Amino acid sequence: MPSPSPSPSPMAINIASPSPTRSMFSKKRSKPPIASAASYLNALSQADARARTTRAPTATPALSLSSSITSSSEDTVLNESEHAYDPSNADGLTHPARPPTSEQVFTTVHTEFGHCANDKFRLTSQHALGEPLPEHVEQDPPYYILLSTYISYLILIVIGHIRDFLGKRLSPKYYTHLVPRNGYAPLNSDFDSFYTRRLKTRMDECFSQPVTGVAGRTIVLLDRISPDYNHTHIFTGTRTRALNISSYNYLGFAQARGGCADAVEESIIRYGVTTCGARLEGGSSDLHTTTEALVAEFVGMEDALISSMGFATNSAYIPALVGKGSLVISDELNHASIRFGTRLSGANVRMFKHNDMRNLESLLREVISQGQPKTHRPWKKILVVVEGLYSMEGTLVNLPVILELKKKYKFYLFVDEAHSIGALGPHGRGVADYFGIDPRSIDILMGTFTKSFGAAGGYIAGNKALIDRLRVRGHLGPYAEAMTPPVLTQVLASMASIMGVAVPSPASDAVSNTLVPTAHPGPASESALPSWLTLPPLLASGIEGRSRLRRLAFNSRYLHRGLVKLGFITYGHPASPIVPLLLFNPGKMCMFHRMMLDRATPIVVVVVAYPATPLVTSRVRFCVSAAHTKEDVDTVLRACDEIGDVLDLKHGKAEGGERWSIERIIASAEELAGSS
Amino acid sequence: MESASTNLEPLFAFLAKSLSTLEFAFNKLPGSAVIQRYVKSSHQNDPGRTLLELILVIFAIRTLLQSRTRADRTGKHFIQFSDKEVDELVDEWSPEPLGQPLSAREQAELAVVPIVAGPNGPRPKIASTGKTATNLASLNFTGLAGNENIKERAVETLRKYGLGSCGPPGFYGTLDVHMDLERDIADFLGTEAAILYSQGFSTISSVIPAFCKRGDIIVADRGVSFAIHKGIQISRSTVRWFDHNDLKSLEDVLEGVEKERKKRRGPLTRRFIITEGIFEKDGAMVDLPKLAEKVDMLVGSVAIGLSSSGGFCAGSQTVVDHQRINGPSFVFSASMPALLSVSASEGINILRSTPSILTTLQDNVRAARAILDRVECITIPSHPASPIIHMHIRAPPTSSLHPASAAAATTKPSNPTSPVPRDASTWDWDIETEEKILQDVVEEALVQGVMITKAKRLRGQETVEPRPSIRLAMTSALTKKETEKAVNVVKNAFIKVLGRKR
């Protein structure tokens, strides 16, 4: 694995020196910071050897340098009240760095939703009106990085083929599922599965690690080791609590405590966990009607339709919109569910370069003038499908320009807001809200409840006639199970607390702001919620919802700007809560993942590589949440800074040409996040 | 002239220098001598071959560089327009509306979809009437909807895990409770392993393309459900259809497939048989013992029998692991909420500890069939033990989805490449009229306090338009007496509505 180890930069040494803010971790590091990849690998192999020789399930989590802190009994991991008395707070995760003052009252559990009372660390997510969306420039790394990346893959592929060649002859029993036997063709061809077996398996440590508990600000990992190079995993029985910058939890509604969870409990008692069947065949309940009305109000459309799965919302409703004789124009980086849906629809598909409006326009001119292939008949209709926020790049769709094109070229516009709904805009209403655009100028808004609302499933919204058409023509109406009552309630409660609930008589409640239902994007009317669902004042007034939106906006910008100032190559728009950091070499992915997890404050990250990204641009993807405190983002930045030196990742050109030290970044967070 | 050559001299020098550097670099590459020798000798033997190979290399590079999104501008169908002409064409073009507004019929249809106020179960309150009705429409076979144990476990889980899992299974979305449920399902069904999907409908249409690729052969029953049709469509495999629930036809089709392969002398491709346990379309049951000794993949729904949400595929460890990377709706979708997973596990527990649930269900099915089988004006294609009972309006000739009548109709085998059965031309029912009559039956039953439903279809999108039917769903949550009473209401509604018509 080519991991060039440069001599430690002066910055790395500088960082290794103890700093005042480090004291938030009461635990001392047992080992000095590791200065190079070689020394890290060395230490790693020693730890690995130790783990293999002992193999005792009670041993400290294997392969970990600084022993992870886990609770000994199952319950304490999940039971916060017991955990709160854990005096060590060794990982810096269970208690805030500064104890709360007497005025500050926090209603959330710190491990689920971080305590942060400082109003300076807030921002509004809004596009400066009238300004063009800055075009995203992809920075290229130095040539030696590109070259070594290609060579890495080449080596992996060559070794993989050698192993296949020898393995098939020497130990055929491992290949039985790949060769024909008893007249049955193999279920999986060795060619098709080569990438999985020989490349992905090597880094399986980074994927699919099971967790338990709430995927909130922190997450509890079930520790595992692999005795056979990731073919099987053995659970050690221990657990590690880690800072969670991986889950889609933009507004921090993944909570087991609080107003939303209370509402869900009430709904389970009242409704049970199922509505028994499909929407059109006796599985509809009044909760569905209520939720659909609220969702329509939230996104600012006439009507909305919900489905029990986000993926299926695209894959089953797009075929109901377009068919033979129609054309779908799709961004090349659109999600798999959109491709799945368009393939099922039978419509023709053309793709345009990611977010490239010139490319889109020239494509539109071509397809409209040429008409359908061969026959040259005009298209019945053209549907342009884009995402609001792209999940692997963190880029925002250039909505203002697309809408200009829409006026001229008369196509229909479908915006998939899976990641942007709740996460963008001063009112959390998604990408249209962010740009200050009337949502009704878009034909179809689709989104999911998984990411910002801590629920599951998806919605599709548009004008009433269109949504009714989808109710009848969509595949899910007659055939798929309806959304379950607990999920519906989570959507209702979280959405209402982002909107705030309008109070009928202004003088009735002193705590809540008096909100009057106005035009979109206004608060929800009180009648929009079921009578049994009452939210606590902080949620009902919309105060907490607003604070969540502003915390998310701050955290996103701060992390993004911080990484750029440290000298990393990142992608995406600074307002995006998805922040990809480019790693390039496949070997660095595992290293980065493991080094983040091995820190005094363990951090879990998502690394993504081919085929989810182009072959060279392997990356780590941070998903910022409103549940993170400013200190959490500091922790992530500090970790990236140290690991970035070890793994030689800092190849970006910092804006303004000047890199900042980590201490300077942490000290001037507000200035950094506030700069446009 | 002279000045020109002096001007060009530094260029020549540069060229010569870079050539020699290139040669030097090439010689330094390991294995370059072998390539050099090969090219030299091949050129010596046959200069034409060098040219051919060169063209091949250029062609390969060109193919690689060609953007897949670029249209065939050079193709013979491309018409060159000037910018002005394009502008005119753009102005002229007017698209169809994105969705046609509903017709009056469709609107009426949508308006009568029953909505339950409050919890669903054996006796829900209907929102439109405000009265309770006996429920023979919703899928609650095992009567687990509203079960107090399940509710309790769901609340416990909510307090530990919150609601959403906030991620796909690959990225910290796999919870310990998901692994527990997968194990429970595998144990319950006696398979090695199982994998969970977060929606029942999307399970099968994801499992099929995970295994079946272009060139593979799928042999499928003509009566399979819409979701399976979609899965087959997206897999791009070659499909051969056999007659609905007709093992003789399956055998013929399989023989045909084998013959075809031998004729083409193609390699052994993967072949899959796809059928359903109890058919969603008509409630018939497959004769599994005869069909196969071993089932590789069992796909099912957690939403129906276990009263939760989601789907599963059970099979060998290899089969399951393969889907963890290749099942589109597994990989690209968030995993199911923890509390739904625990509810399903608890459902399995209850079924294990209370086997009487299943006997009650069977008793109810038998009781219902005892009444319905004697109704003159309907035909029932469903298996006598099936908790889903489809009812068609009886009209001569009888339903051809029924295997017995199908065999009698004609002896000419159907075309295996078409999903349409051989006797489709003899189908003489009028879908619209029958739908209307059946809707009258549904409404008549609701007036008498029994909630039933037509089998809803996606007319115009189904591969083969199924015959309109009323679909009853039996449940063990009702006693035998209650079931009999409700089914009698259905029977009387049929007799009343059809009697009026005739």
PDB file of all heavy atoms in Angstrom, chain A residues 208 262 281-282 308 343 370 380 410 412 469 473 479, chain B residues 79 93 96 100 138 159 170 199 234 310 456 461-462 471:
ATOM      1  N   SER A 208     -20.680  -1.748   7.609  1.00  0.00           N
ATOM      2  CA  SER A 208     -21.704  -2.589   8.232  1.00  0.00           C
ATOM      3  C   SER A 208     -21.406  -2.965   9.675  1.00  0.00           C
ATOM      4  O   SER A 208     -21.808  -4.024  10.122  1.00  0.00           O
ATOM      5  CB  SER A 208     -21.905  -3.891   7.438  1.00  0.00           C
ATOM      6  OG  SER A 208     -22.182  -3.600   6.108  1.00  0.00           O
ATOM      7  N   ASP A 262     -42.065  10.896  23.338  1.00  0.00           N
ATOM      8  CA  ASP A 262     -43.275  10.766  24.163  1.00  0.00           C
ATOM      9  C   ASP A 262     -44.511  10.628  23.288  1.00  0.00           C
ATOM     10  O   ASP A 262     -45.401   9.817  23.562  1.00  0.00           O
ATOM     11  CB  ASP A 262     -43.428  11.990  25.078  1.00  0.00           C
ATOM     12  CG  ASP A 262     -42.322  12.059  26.123  1.00  0.00           C
ATOM     13  OD1 ASP A 262     -41.634  11.037  26.317  1.00  0.00           O
ATOM     14  OD2 ASP A 262     -42.132  13.137  26.728  1.00  0.00           O
ATOM     15  N   GLU A 281     -56.194  -0.911   0.295  1.00  0.00           N
ATOM     16  CA  GLU A 281     -56.908  -2.142   0.625  1.00  0.00           C
ATOM     17  C   GLU A 281     -57.113  -2.286   2.125  1.00  0.00           C
ATOM     18  O   GLU A 281     -56.817  -3.305   2.715  1.00  0.00           O
ATOM     19  CB  GLU A 281     -56.142  -3.353   0.081  1.00  0.00           C
ATOM     20  CG  GLU A 281     -56.213  -3.476  -1.422  1.00  0.00           C
ATOM     21  CD  GLU A 281     -55.649  -4.789  -1.927  1.00  0.00           C
ATOM     22  OE1 GLU A 281     -54.958  -5.486  -1.156  1.00  0.00           O
ATOM     23  OE2 GLU A 281     -55.909  -5.124  -3.093  1.00  0.00           O
ATOM     24  N   GLY A 282     -57.569  -1.242   2.745  1.00  0.00           N
ATOM     25  CA  GLY A 282     -57.906  -1.355   4.159  1.00  0.00           C
ATOM     26  C   GLY A 282     -56.757  -1.107   5.114  1.00  0.00           C
ATOM     27  O   GLY A 282     -56.824  -1.472   6.273  1.00  0.00           O
ATOM     28  N   SER A 308     -44.014   4.072   2.805  1.00  0.00           N
ATOM     29  CA  SER A 308     -43.323   3.512   3.967  1.00  0.00           C
ATOM     30  C   SER A 308     -41.830   3.311   3.740  1.00  0.00           C
ATOM     31  O   SER A 308     -41.134   2.830   4.619  1.00  0.00           O
ATOM     32  CB  SER A 308     -43.977   2.186   4.370  1.00  0.00           C
ATOM     33  OG  SER A 308     -44.069   1.340   3.253  1.00  0.00           O
ATOM     34  N   ARG A 343     -35.739   3.243 -14.820  1.00  0.00           N
ATOM     35  CA  ARG A 343     -35.604   2.019 -15.610  1.00  0.00           C
ATOM     36  C   ARG A 343     -36.929   1.275 -15.673  1.00  0.00           C
ATOM     37  O   ARG A 343     -37.296   0.720 -16.697  1.00  0.00           O
ATOM     38  CB  ARG A 343     -34.536   1.121 -14.993  1.00  0.00           C
ATOM     39  CG  ARG A 343     -33.377   0.868 -15.943  1.00  0.00           C
ATOM     40  CD  ARG A 343     -32.243   0.236 -15.212  1.00  0.00           C
ATOM     41  NE  ARG A 343     -32.357  -1.205 -15.182  1.00  0.00           N
ATOM     42  CZ  ARG A 343     -31.486  -1.993 -14.539  1.00  0.00           C
ATOM     43  NH1 ARG A 343     -30.475  -1.455 -13.892  1.00  0.00           N
ATOM     44  NH2 ARG A 343     -31.638  -3.281 -14.546  1.00  0.00           N
ATOM     45  N   GLN A 370     -34.519  17.253 -31.634  1.00  0.00           N
ATOM     46  CA  GLN A 370     -34.447  15.957 -32.318  1.00  0.00           C
ATOM     47  C   GLN A 370     -35.698  15.116 -32.109  1.00  0.00           C
ATOM     48  O   GLN A 370     -36.038  14.288 -32.941  1.00  0.00           O
ATOM     49  CB  GLN A 370     -33.236  15.152 -31.826  1.00  0.00           C
ATOM     50  CG  GLN A 370     -31.899  15.762 -32.171  1.00  0.00           C
ATOM     51  CD  GLN A 370     -31.644  15.800 -33.661  1.00  0.00           C
ATOM     52  OE1 GLN A 370     -31.960  14.861 -34.372  1.00  0.00           O
ATOM     53  NE2 GLN A 370     -31.085  16.899 -34.138  1.00  0.00           N
ATOM     54  N   LYS A 380     -43.500  13.247 -25.489  1.00  0.00           N
ATOM     55  CA  LYS A 380     -44.760  13.535 -24.798  1.00  0.00           C
ATOM     56  C   LYS A 380     -44.511  14.525 -23.678  1.00  0.00           C
ATOM     57  O   LYS A 380     -45.232  15.476 -23.497  1.00  0.00           O
ATOM     58  CB  LYS A 380     -45.353  12.248 -24.232  1.00  0.00           C
ATOM     59  CG  LYS A 380     -45.936  11.360 -25.302  1.00  0.00           C
ATOM     60  CD  LYS A 380     -46.551  10.139 -24.664  1.00  0.00           C
ATOM     61  CE  LYS A 380     -47.187   9.230 -25.693  1.00  0.00           C
ATOM     62  NZ  LYS A 380     -47.451   7.912 -25.117  1.00  0.00           N
ATOM     63  N   LYS A 410     -39.825  24.310 -20.925  1.00  0.00           N
ATOM     64  CA  LYS A 410     -41.121  23.685 -20.603  1.00  0.00           C
ATOM     65  C   LYS A 410     -41.019  22.232 -20.121  1.00  0.00           C
ATOM     66  O   LYS A 410     -41.915  21.428 -20.373  1.00  0.00           O
ATOM     67  CB  LYS A 410     -42.052  23.766 -21.820  1.00  0.00           C
ATOM     68  CG  LYS A 410     -42.444  25.174 -22.163  1.00  0.00           C
ATOM     69  CD  LYS A 410     -43.216  25.237 -23.458  1.00  0.00           C
ATOM     70  CE  LYS A 410     -42.287  25.265 -24.641  1.00  0.00           C
ATOM     71  NZ  LYS A 410     -42.932  25.548 -25.917  1.00  0.00           N
ATOM     72  N   TYR A 412     -40.777  19.378 -17.012  1.00  0.00           N
ATOM     73  CA  TYR A 412     -41.259  19.259 -15.636  1.00  0.00           C
ATOM     74  C   TYR A 412     -40.068  19.003 -14.729  1.00  0.00           C
ATOM     75  O   TYR A 412     -39.111  18.353 -15.127  1.00  0.00           O
ATOM     76  CB  TYR A 412     -42.279  18.129 -15.526  1.00  0.00           C
ATOM     77  CG  TYR A 412     -43.503  18.392 -16.366  1.00  0.00           C
ATOM     78  CD1 TYR A 412     -43.743  17.664 -17.519  1.00  0.00           C
ATOM     79  CD2 TYR A 412     -44.392  19.390 -16.006  1.00  0.00           C
ATOM     80  CE1 TYR A 412     -44.859  17.929 -18.304  1.00  0.00           C
ATOM     81  CE2 TYR A 412     -45.503  19.668 -16.780  1.00  0.00           C
ATOM     82  CZ  TYR A 412     -45.728  18.935 -17.931  1.00  0.00           C
ATOM     83  OH  TYR A 412     -46.816  19.206 -18.701  1.00  0.00           O
ATOM     84  N   ARG A 469     -53.493  11.412  -8.828  1.00  0.00           N
ATOM     85  CA  ARG A 469     -53.116  10.497  -9.903  1.00  0.00           C
ATOM     86  C   ARG A 469     -52.112   9.468  -9.377  1.00  0.00           C
ATOM     87  O   ARG A 469     -52.216   8.274  -9.643  1.00  0.00           O
ATOM     88  CB  ARG A 469     -52.540  11.322 -11.060  1.00  0.00           C
ATOM     89  CG  ARG A 469     -51.858  10.569 -12.163  1.00  0.00           C
ATOM     90  CD  ARG A 469     -52.704   9.538 -12.837  1.00  0.00           C
ATOM     91  NE  ARG A 469     -53.910  10.040 -13.476  1.00  0.00           N
ATOM     92  CZ  ARG A 469     -54.957   9.281 -13.783  1.00  0.00           C
ATOM     93  NH1 ARG A 469     -54.927   7.992 -13.524  1.00  0.00           N
ATOM     94  NH2 ARG A 469     -56.026   9.790 -14.341  1.00  0.00           N
ATOM     95  N   ARG A 473     -52.256   5.530  -9.444  1.00  0.00           N
ATOM     96  CA  ARG A 473     -51.373   4.899 -10.415  1.00  0.00           C
ATOM     97  C   ARG A 473     -50.058   4.398  -9.809  1.00  0.00           C
ATOM     98  O   ARG A 473     -49.373   3.579 -10.410  1.00  0.00           O
ATOM     99  CB  ARG A 473     -51.049   5.914 -11.505  1.00  0.00           C
ATOM    100  CG  ARG A 473     -51.424   5.464 -12.899  1.00  0.00           C
ATOM    101  CD  ARG A 473     -51.010   6.514 -13.902  1.00  0.00           C
ATOM    102  NE  ARG A 473     -49.751   6.178 -14.539  1.00  0.00           N
ATOM    103  CZ  ARG A 473     -49.634   5.335 -15.558  1.00  0.00           C
ATOM    104  NH1 ARG A 473     -50.677   4.749 -16.042  1.00  0.00           N
ATOM    105  NH2 ARG A 473     -48.460   5.088 -16.098  1.00  0.00           N
ATOM    106  N   TYR A 479     -50.277  -2.190  -3.324  1.00  0.00           N
ATOM    107  CA  TYR A 479     -49.448  -3.368  -3.061  1.00  0.00           C
ATOM    108  C   TYR A 479     -48.477  -3.274  -1.887  1.00  0.00           C
ATOM    109  O   TYR A 479     -47.956  -4.284  -1.448  1.00  0.00           O
ATOM    110  CB  TYR A 479     -48.639  -3.715  -4.329  1.00  0.00           C
ATOM    111  CG  TYR A 479     -49.501  -4.162  -5.470  1.00  0.00           C
ATOM    112  CD1 TYR A 479     -49.478  -3.509  -6.684  1.00  0.00           C
ATOM    113  CD2 TYR A 479     -50.355  -5.239  -5.312  1.00  0.00           C
ATOM    114  CE1 TYR A 479     -50.284  -3.925  -7.736  1.00  0.00           C
ATOM    115  CE2 TYR A 479     -51.167  -5.655  -6.359  1.00  0.00           C
ATOM    116  CZ  TYR A 479     -51.124  -4.997  -7.566  1.00  0.00           C
ATOM    117  OH  TYR A 479     -51.927  -5.412  -8.584  1.00  0.00           O
TER     118      TYR A 479
ATOM    119  N   ILE B  79     -30.378  15.022 -37.006  1.00  0.00           N
ATOM    120  CA  ILE B  79     -30.609  16.086 -37.978  1.00  0.00           C
ATOM    121  C   ILE B  79     -29.936  17.346 -37.471  1.00  0.00           C
ATOM    122  O   ILE B  79     -30.093  17.719 -36.303  1.00  0.00           O
ATOM    123  CB  ILE B  79     -32.115  16.361 -38.148  1.00  0.00           C
ATOM    124  CG1 ILE B  79     -32.848  15.059 -38.444  1.00  0.00           C
ATOM    125  CG2 ILE B  79     -32.355  17.381 -39.241  1.00  0.00           C
ATOM    126  CD1 ILE B  79     -34.341  15.196 -38.361  1.00  0.00           C
ATOM    127  N   TRP B  93     -42.824  23.298 -29.210  1.00  0.00           N
ATOM    128  CA  TRP B  93     -43.098  22.073 -28.454  1.00  0.00           C
ATOM    129  C   TRP B  93     -44.001  22.358 -27.271  1.00  0.00           C
ATOM    130  O   TRP B  93     -43.760  23.283 -26.501  1.00  0.00           O
ATOM    131  CB  TRP B  93     -41.774  21.468 -27.988  1.00  0.00           C
ATOM    132  CG  TRP B  93     -41.962  20.181 -27.246  1.00  0.00           C
ATOM    133  CD1 TRP B  93     -42.490  19.032 -27.731  1.00  0.00           C
ATOM    134  CD2 TRP B  93     -41.635  19.929 -25.878  1.00  0.00           C
ATOM    135  NE1 TRP B  93     -42.498  18.067 -26.761  1.00  0.00           N
ATOM    136  CE2 TRP B  93     -41.986  18.600 -25.610  1.00  0.00           C
ATOM    137  CE3 TRP B  93     -41.088  20.695 -24.851  1.00  0.00           C
ATOM    138  CZ2 TRP B  93     -41.798  18.007 -24.376  1.00  0.00           C
ATOM    139  CZ3 TRP B  93     -40.894  20.116 -23.617  1.00  0.00           C
ATOM    140  CH2 TRP B  93     -41.249  18.786 -23.381  1.00  0.00           C
ATOM    141  N   GLU B  96     -47.322  17.188 -22.836  1.00  0.00           N
ATOM    142  CA  GLU B  96     -48.556  16.718 -22.191  1.00  0.00           C
ATOM    143  C   GLU B  96     -48.496  17.062 -20.716  1.00  0.00           C
ATOM    144  O   GLU B  96     -47.415  17.257 -20.175  1.00  0.00           O
ATOM    145  CB  GLU B  96     -48.644  15.185 -22.318  1.00  0.00           C
ATOM    146  CG  GLU B  96     -49.006  14.705 -23.676  1.00  0.00           C
ATOM    147  CD  GLU B  96     -49.081  13.181 -23.719  1.00  0.00           C
ATOM    148  OE1 GLU B  96     -49.005  12.549 -22.645  1.00  0.00           O
ATOM    149  OE2 GLU B  96     -49.212  12.640 -24.822  1.00  0.00           O
ATOM    150  N   GLN B 100     -52.401  13.060 -15.767  1.00  0.00           N
ATOM    151  CA  GLN B 100     -53.772  13.344 -16.192  1.00  0.00           C
ATOM    152  C   GLN B 100     -54.636  13.450 -14.943  1.00  0.00           C
ATOM    153  O   GLN B 100     -54.542  12.609 -14.062  1.00  0.00           O
ATOM    154  CB  GLN B 100     -54.298  12.191 -17.068  1.00  0.00           C
ATOM    155  CG  GLN B 100     -53.606  12.043 -18.394  1.00  0.00           C
ATOM    156  CD  GLN B 100     -53.961  13.172 -19.357  1.00  0.00           C
ATOM    157  OE1 GLN B 100     -54.901  13.916 -19.120  1.00  0.00           O
ATOM    158  NE2 GLN B 100     -53.174  13.314 -20.420  1.00  0.00           N
ATOM    159  N   SER B 138     -58.475  -5.806   5.955  1.00  0.00           N
ATOM    160  CA  SER B 138     -57.081  -5.565   6.309  1.00  0.00           C
ATOM    161  C   SER B 138     -56.353  -6.877   6.555  1.00  0.00           C
ATOM    162  O   SER B 138     -56.949  -7.875   6.955  1.00  0.00           O
ATOM    163  CB  SER B 138     -57.004  -4.704   7.563  1.00  0.00           C
ATOM    164  OG  SER B 138     -57.806  -3.559   7.390  1.00  0.00           O
ATOM    165  N   ARG B 159     -37.641   3.510  23.800  1.00  0.00           N
ATOM    166  CA  ARG B 159     -36.904   4.211  24.848  1.00  0.00           C
ATOM    167  C   ARG B 159     -35.416   3.868  24.845  1.00  0.00           C
ATOM    168  O   ARG B 159     -34.629   4.491  25.527  1.00  0.00           O
ATOM    169  CB  ARG B 159     -37.530   3.887  26.212  1.00  0.00           C
ATOM    170  CG  ARG B 159     -38.909   4.499  26.395  1.00  0.00           C
ATOM    171  CD  ARG B 159     -38.885   5.974  26.083  1.00  0.00           C
ATOM    172  NE  ARG B 159     -40.183   6.624  26.294  1.00  0.00           N
ATOM    173  CZ  ARG B 159     -40.390   7.904  26.060  1.00  0.00           C
ATOM    174  NH1 ARG B 159     -39.412   8.675  25.601  1.00  0.00           N
ATOM    175  NH2 ARG B 159     -41.580   8.442  26.273  1.00  0.00           N
ATOM    176  N   GLY B 170     -25.156  -0.490   5.666  1.00  0.00           N
ATOM    177  CA  GLY B 170     -23.706  -0.462   5.520  1.00  0.00           C
ATOM    178  C   GLY B 170     -23.033   0.598   6.370  1.00  0.00           C
ATOM    179  O   GLY B 170     -21.880   0.459   6.763  1.00  0.00           O
ATOM    180  N   GLN B 199     -39.045  -2.680   3.416  1.00  0.00           N
ATOM    181  CA  GLN B 199     -40.425  -2.682   2.930  1.00  0.00           C
ATOM    182  C   GLN B 199     -40.719  -3.991   2.221  1.00  0.00           C
ATOM    183  O   GLN B 199     -39.893  -4.458   1.435  1.00  0.00           O
ATOM    184  CB  GLN B 199     -40.659  -1.508   1.982  1.00  0.00           C
ATOM    185  CG  GLN B 199     -42.121  -1.335   1.601  1.00  0.00           C
ATOM    186  CD  GLN B 199     -42.314  -0.307   0.504  1.00  0.00           C
ATOM    187  OE1 GLN B 199     -41.634  -0.345  -0.511  1.00  0.00           O
ATOM    188  NE2 GLN B 199     -43.232   0.613   0.716  1.00  0.00           N
ATOM    189  N   ILE B 234     -36.743  -5.420 -14.218  1.00  0.00           N
ATOM    190  CA  ILE B 234     -35.513  -4.667 -13.984  1.00  0.00           C
ATOM    191  C   ILE B 234     -34.278  -5.546 -14.100  1.00  0.00           C
ATOM    192  O   ILE B 234     -33.173  -5.065 -14.315  1.00  0.00           O
ATOM    193  CB  ILE B 234     -35.575  -3.936 -12.627  1.00  0.00           C
ATOM    194  CG1 ILE B 234     -34.675  -2.699 -12.682  1.00  0.00           C
ATOM    195  CG2 ILE B 234     -35.160  -4.821 -11.477  1.00  0.00           C
ATOM    196  CD1 ILE B 234     -35.143  -1.569 -11.871  1.00  0.00           C
ATOM    197  N   GLY B 310     -41.906  -4.265   6.599  1.00  0.00           N
ATOM    198  CA  GLY B 310     -40.646  -4.750   6.051  1.00  0.00           C
ATOM    199  C   GLY B 310     -40.778  -6.105   5.409  1.00  0.00           C
ATOM    200  O   GLY B 310     -41.847  -6.717   5.408  1.00  0.00           O
ATOM    201  N   LYS B 456     -57.362  -4.313  -5.337  1.00  0.00           N
ATOM    202  CA  LYS B 456     -57.026  -3.122  -6.125  1.00  0.00           C
ATOM    203  C   LYS B 456     -55.912  -3.460  -7.113  1.00  0.00           C
ATOM    204  O   LYS B 456     -54.963  -4.166  -6.765  1.00  0.00           O
ATOM    205  CB  LYS B 456     -56.566  -2.011  -5.190  1.00  0.00           C
ATOM    206  CG  LYS B 456     -57.637  -1.564  -4.233  1.00  0.00           C
ATOM    207  CD  LYS B 456     -58.606  -0.621  -4.907  1.00  0.00           C
ATOM    208  CE  LYS B 456     -59.692  -0.217  -3.921  1.00  0.00           C
ATOM    209  NZ  LYS B 456     -60.561   0.811  -4.427  1.00  0.00           N
ATOM    210  N   GLN B 461     -51.230  -0.935 -16.127  1.00  0.00           N
ATOM    211  CA  GLN B 461     -49.814  -1.165 -15.872  1.00  0.00           C
ATOM    212  C   GLN B 461     -49.489  -2.630 -15.613  1.00  0.00           C
ATOM    213  O   GLN B 461     -48.332  -3.022 -15.577  1.00  0.00           O
ATOM    214  CB  GLN B 461     -49.345  -0.342 -14.657  1.00  0.00           C
ATOM    215  CG  GLN B 461     -49.422   1.145 -14.861  1.00  0.00           C
ATOM    216  CD  GLN B 461     -48.908   1.897 -13.648  1.00  0.00           C
ATOM    217  OE1 GLN B 461     -47.718   1.951 -13.401  1.00  0.00           O
ATOM    218  NE2 GLN B 461     -49.808   2.461 -12.870  1.00  0.00           N
ATOM    219  N   GLU B 462     -50.517  -3.432 -15.371  1.00  0.00           N
ATOM    220  CA  GLU B 462     -50.278  -4.851 -15.106  1.00  0.00           C
ATOM    221  C   GLU B 462     -49.892  -5.548 -16.415  1.00  0.00           C
ATOM    222  O   GLU B 462     -50.382  -5.173 -17.475  1.00  0.00           O
ATOM    223  CB  GLU B 462     -51.550  -5.496 -14.553  1.00  0.00           C
ATOM    224  CG  GLU B 462     -52.171  -4.754 -13.386  1.00  0.00           C
ATOM    225  CD  GLU B 462     -51.718  -5.288 -12.037  1.00  0.00           C
ATOM    226  OE1 GLU B 462     -51.018  -6.312 -12.006  1.00  0.00           O
ATOM    227  OE2 GLU B 462     -52.064  -4.668 -11.020  1.00  0.00           O
ATOM    228  N   ARG B 471     -61.491  -9.395  -2.391  1.00  0.00           N
ATOM    229  CA  ARG B 471     -60.458 -10.124  -1.674  1.00  0.00           C
ATOM    230  C   ARG B 471     -60.759 -10.084  -0.180  1.00  0.00           C
ATOM    231  O   ARG B 471     -60.714  -9.030   0.434  1.00  0.00           O
ATOM    232  CB  ARG B 471     -59.103  -9.475  -1.963  1.00  0.00           C
ATOM    233  CG  ARG B 471     -57.922 -10.290  -1.541  1.00  0.00           C
ATOM    234  CD  ARG B 471     -56.861  -9.405  -0.930  1.00  0.00           C
ATOM    235  NE  ARG B 471     -57.389  -8.810   0.285  1.00  0.00           N
ATOM    236  CZ  ARG B 471     -56.877  -7.753   0.865  1.00  0.00           C
ATOM    237  NH1 ARG B 471     -55.871  -7.144   0.344  1.00  0.00           N
ATOM    238  NH2 ARG B 471     -57.388  -7.270   2.002  1.00  0.00           N
TER     239      ARG B 471
END
